Amino acid sequence: MSQEQVRKLEIAFAEARYGLSQQEATLDELRVRTGTIMGLFVVATSFFGARVIESQKISPAQITALALFLVVLSLLVSVVTVKQDWFFSTDISTNRVDALGDESLEVFLADLLEAFDEMARANEKKLISYQRLFNSSMYLLVLNMGVWVVAAIWRG
């Protein structure tokens, strides 16, 4: 394998590792943002929920708001807690690489880059679905806060 080929493979390998680490950072950032919003959501709901406890009569708006709270909370928890079947590991055994000849090394690195590409594509699909789940929960959260306001007004 020529020096030029080795250099190209090293660049491709570095870019693949960087791409996977960026995906992991994006997922972690989404989970942190979700956790923060979840905390604020629970505090806001407890503020509105206290008014429900005070009232003698529970209105349909309050029941709807409580049901939406549970739905939104379950969506947010699913974004924060689930992190399985993700592929971020780019560690390879140096003993295995040292034992390979030049031709085998080229095949090994090509296979490794293909595996990294597959990992990145699989992660990207999951990341998009998590971002959609997060966005959906944000729309429902806004709706939930609106229902709480209606419930507060309805109570009088």
Side-chain angles (χ1 to χ4, degrees):
M1 186 181 321
S2 72
Q3 279 293 56
E4 183 65 24
Q5 289 173 320
V6 169
R7 188 171 152 343
K8 286 179 183 178
L9 285 173
E10 286 175 347
I11 291 170
F13 182 72
E15 287 182 15
R17 288 181 72 159
Y18 177 75
L20 289 174
S21 69
Q22 284 299 104
Q23 284 181 333
E24 185 174 25
T26 301
L27 177 63
D28 289 342
E29 184 256 325
L30 179 65
R31 292 174 71 218
V32 166
R33 189 172 5 138
T34 302
T36 302
I37 288 174
M38 190 168 37
L40 293 171
F41 178 57
V42 168
V43 168
T45 300
S46 68
F47 171 76
F48 286 115
R51 296 184 60 104
V52 171
I53 293 171
E54 289 175 355
S55 68
Q56 298 281 328
K57 182 178 165 189
I58 296 177
S59 70
Q62 292 169 332
I63 293 170
T64 303
L66 288 171
L68 271 172
F69 168 74
L70 294 174
V71 169
V72 172
L73 191 61
S74 66
L75 290 174
L76 292 173
V77 166
S78 69
V79 172
V80 171
T81 58
V82 178
K83 189 180 177 180
Q84 53 194 19
D85 297 337
W86 291 84
F87 305 102
F88 297 120
S89 178
T90 57
D91 296 333
I92 57 172
S93 170
T94 53
N95 294 336
R96 185 173 172 198
V97 173
D98 292 342
L100 297 171
D102 281 348
E103 206 167 291
S104 298
L105 181 61
E106 186 175 347
V107 171
F108 173 74
L109 289 175
D111 289 345
L112 187 63
L113 288 173
E114 185 177 328
F116 281 179
D117 187 49
E118 288 175 20
M119 284 187 243
R121 277 184 272 144
N123 288 345
E124 188 66 26
K125 287 178 185 177
K126 292 175 198 163
L127 197 54
I128 288 170
S129 68
Y130 273 93
Q131 288 171 332
R132 286 181 180 156
L133 184 63
F134 176 80
N135 290 340
S136 298
S137 62
M138 291 302 99
Y139 293 129
L140 289 174
L141 187 146
V142 170
L143 177 64
N144 184 243
M145 290 298 115
V147 172
W148 276 120
V149 169
V150 168
I153 292 169
W154 188 332
R155 181 176 172 262

